[in-house]
Amino acid sequence: MDLQTLGQLLNTTLVFSTALIFAALGGIFSERSGVVNIGLEGLMMFGAFAAAVGGYYAQDAGMGAWAPWVGVVCAMAVGVIGSLIHAVASITFKADQTISGTVINFLAAGSTLYMVKLFFEGAGETPLLEGFKKVPVPGLSKIPVIGEGIFNSYPTTYLAIVLVIVIYFVLFKTPFGLRLRAVGEHPSAADTLGVNVNKMRYIGVMLSGLLAGIGGATITLTTTGTFAHNTISGQGFIAIAAMIFGKWNPMGAFGAAVFFGFSQAIRNYVQLFEWSKSIPQEFIFMIPYVLTIIVLVSAVGRSAAPKALGEPYDPGKR
Amino acid sequence: MHRLKKIFATDSYIVPIVAIIMGFLVGAVVMLIGGYDPIAAYSALFKRVFGSPYDFGEAVREMTPLMFTGLAVAFAFRSGMFNIGADGQVLIGMTAASVVGIKLAGTPSFLLVPLAVIAAGLCGGIWAGIAGYLKAKRGINEVITTIMLNWIALYLSNYIVKHFLLLKGQNRSVDNPASLSMTFLNSLFDNARVHWGTALALCAALFFYVFLWKTKQGYEMRAVGLNPHAAEYAGMNVGRNVVKAMFISGAFAGLAGAGEVLGVFHYQSIFAASPGYGFDGIAVALLGLTHPLGVVLAAILYGMLTYGSAGMSFGADVPPELIRIVIGSIIFFIAAQGIVRWVLKPFYFKRKKEKVL
């Protein structure tokens, strides 16, 4: 395997990781505020759909290179709207959070395909659109391996990496982050200190919708170019796994997302390794999932979920 | 106090019924917005399900795996766990039933069929048991392990089918000699693929109820589910209960796999992606309020709606995906009971007033 292939592998890894990074970051906002978000899969679906439709119409209107960004903005908006269903049910009406998250998955799967058929005269998928193009960073893209691998990526990948750092600082170094985490750890204490628990949780869930929406958009705008029933198949659940694997920390989730992205990328390169030819490909596909379990068993141990995760806040119950 | 109890008792069926009606209304509104005729669509849906013996039989076939996976998710829920892995457990059950059925071909069928079914249940149970064990011993979140196990199950069963059971040049296994089909009913239903798995599913629901509410072990499991710390304080072995509960949950899902392989398809194909049985199971379990009777009823409703949705697209040109919006809304209203109660409030008020007068 030569250096150029290594660079390409790294690049493909990042392409597959990007959507997972966004969605996992979204999950962190929601769960750090104390609201379980099984609905990431559905929120990504909303985002992917909105990006495909918004991007298509923007392209049609002749917006050229700006069209994918219109798609991203649509995905953010639709993601937030979708997450509001979850927020209203689980925060205001104190519904079981796993249940209302599942509802999101259902509504997303149904309504996006329903709308695709409605908008495009019964077609099963949206028309193909151009999407993002890779943007090399001047200078840096000339470095061997890393230049090809990292500094010649889609703009969404750069955005994801920047967001990991920004969100880390927001969560752990700002008053807003402190409040958000407090609401997820000990809501009644936060309430006593004057933090509006429900408001913080609404913000957490809506941010998760926004980020998961971008995550879904990334998939249509960089890898598939269309939205169909199988565009998001299990990505949201893997993002949840990445979030838990990364212990609800942006940096950890980033690492886990890259790990899962690598596992998806490696499929395209499996034939390049001499040693892998004797192993049935099914076992190679299994590696990341088996490895995740092994790592959890041996190193990570007990996962540190926010303490109040899953509990609706009831001010009368101290 | 007595009257209060009575209201809560009636709630247990009034809330789901109102939620179902509201779900259908949401679907109707969505259809109206899309420019479709909801009445035509819904009548096409029911016509599809009840229109012919064949369709009715096929609708029953559709309900059967939903009952199993619904029971699987509900059982884990009652024991305090969220089993996202029913999908993988179904696949493992399918593969186990295929392997036993095909590799032991020649064994008299009164032995072969039970063996294949038991193998499916056992292997599904063990598969889920792994997640239970890791939770009990290592405190690893079962959500993440069951998601991982889903993928591993997908590739593992593909590997087994591909290397040991595949028909030359095809994407499916050799026909399975073990059969759960009900030949006499098949002809009665115009060759609809009804099978004994449905009866097995009803037995599983009965087992669920009796085990959880009438036995000491079931009591322990519910206690662990409600409050593991209190259960531990009371001297119960939380870890063992967690493993056992996941095993039983997985066994239910494994049986769903047996039903699909031995009753419906009689062969196993290589799956490109997860078939999605487990996620339907989550919806069914939630619709059924994680009670076995509720799960059976929910599976009937869910199966009817999904099977009938095809009729909706032929009969009224409505995209069948609409039905997922209906199901999602029903679960939403059941989960957020506050909304249903708010809708029902005037009625409760009226009733109370009558009693006072």
Side-chain angles (χ1 to χ4, degrees), chain A residues 89 93 95 98-99 103 106-107 110-111 113-114 117-118 237 241 267 280-283 285-286 289 297 302, chain B residues 30-31 34 36 82 134 138-139 144 147-148 151 155-156 159 162 283 286 302 321 324-325 328 331-332 335 339:
Chain A
F93 286 100
T98 9
I99 302 183
V103 168
F106 255 82
L107 290 180
S111 58
L113 280 174
Y114 177 80
K117 289 188 176 170
L118 207 63
F237 288 100
R267 290 175 178 208
Q281 57 169 356
E282 284 84 3
F283 285 96
F285 293 169
M286 260 183 230
Y289 310 109
V297 169
R302 298 204 174 255
Chain B
V30 171
M31 279 191 261
Y36 301 111
F82 191 39
L134 292 175
R138 291 284 179 159
I144 182 167
I147 292 172
M148 296 299 122
W151 292 94
Y155 297 126
L156 184 64
Y159 172 75
K162 206 185 224 172
L286 300 176
Y302 193 117
E321 286 77 21
R324 288 192 159 243
I325 303 180
I331 305 175
F332 177 81
I339 299 175

Side-chain angles (χ1 to χ4, degrees), chain B residues 315-327:
Chain B
D317 216 22
V318 178
E321 286 77 21
L322 175 99
I323 221 62
R324 288 192 159 243
I325 303 180
V326 173
I327 293 170

Side-chain angles (χ1 to χ4, degrees), chain B residues 81 129 132-137 220 224 228 231-232 236-246:
Chain B
M81 270 162 303
Y133 178 82
L134 292 175
K135 168 133 182 162
K137 290 287 164 195
E220 279 198 13
V224 168
E232 185 150 30
M236 295 170 193
N237 186 335
V238 173
R240 203 194 317 153
N241 274 298
V242 163
V243 178
K244 223 183 337 182
M246 277 308 268

Side-chain angles (χ1 to χ4, degrees), chain A residues 131-312:
Chain A
F132 284 114
K133 291 195 173 48
K134 287 185 178 167
V135 181
V137 179
L140 292 175
S141 61
K142 296 284 179 287
I143 308 171
V145 185
I146 296 176
E148 168 75 28
I150 301 173
F151 297 111
N152 188 18
S153 298
Y154 293 112
T156 41
T157 305
Y158 302 131
L159 181 65
I161 295 171
V162 170
L163 272 185
V164 169
I165 299 161
V166 170
I167 288 174
Y168 179 84
F169 273 96
V170 167
L171 270 182
F172 296 104
K173 311 284 176 197
T174 65
F176 167 79
L178 181 68
R179 288 194 200 108
L180 191 87
R181 286 182 295 129
V183 158
E185 295 288 336
H186 205 311
S188 49
D191 193 7
T192 313
L193 292 172
V195 179
N196 186 335
V197 176
N198 284 355
K199 189 177 131 200
M200 287 311 287
R201 288 188 167 179
Y202 261 91
I203 294 172
V205 173
M206 284 159 76
L207 282 174
S208 83
L210 184 120
L211 287 162
I214 305 179
T218 320
I219 291 178
T220 42
L221 295 172
T222 64
T223 37
T224 63
T226 67
F227 176 80
H229 71 100
N230 61 352
T231 301
I232 312 287
S233 56
Q235 298 285 314
F237 288 100
I238 294 186
I240 293 171
M243 170 190 70
I244 299 175
F245 198 11
K247 293 194 157 186
W248 289 269
N249 182 313
M251 301 293 186
F254 171 74
V258 170
F259 178 66
F260 286 118
F262 176 71
S263 77
Q264 288 173 313
I266 195 123
R267 290 175 178 208
N268 305 344
Y269 295 87
V270 152
Q271 281 77 20
L272 296 173
F273 300 101
E274 222 22 75
W275 53 267
S276 68
K277 281 181 182 148
S278 55
I279 305 170
Q281 57 169 356
E282 284 84 3
F283 285 96
I284 294 173
F285 293 169
M286 260 183 230
I287 292 172
Y289 310 109
V290 176
L291 220 58
T292 304
I293 293 180
I294 293 173
V295 170
L296 282 174
V297 169
S298 53
V300 184
R302 298 204 174 255
S303 36
K307 275 207 186 62
L309 189 62
E311 290 169 19

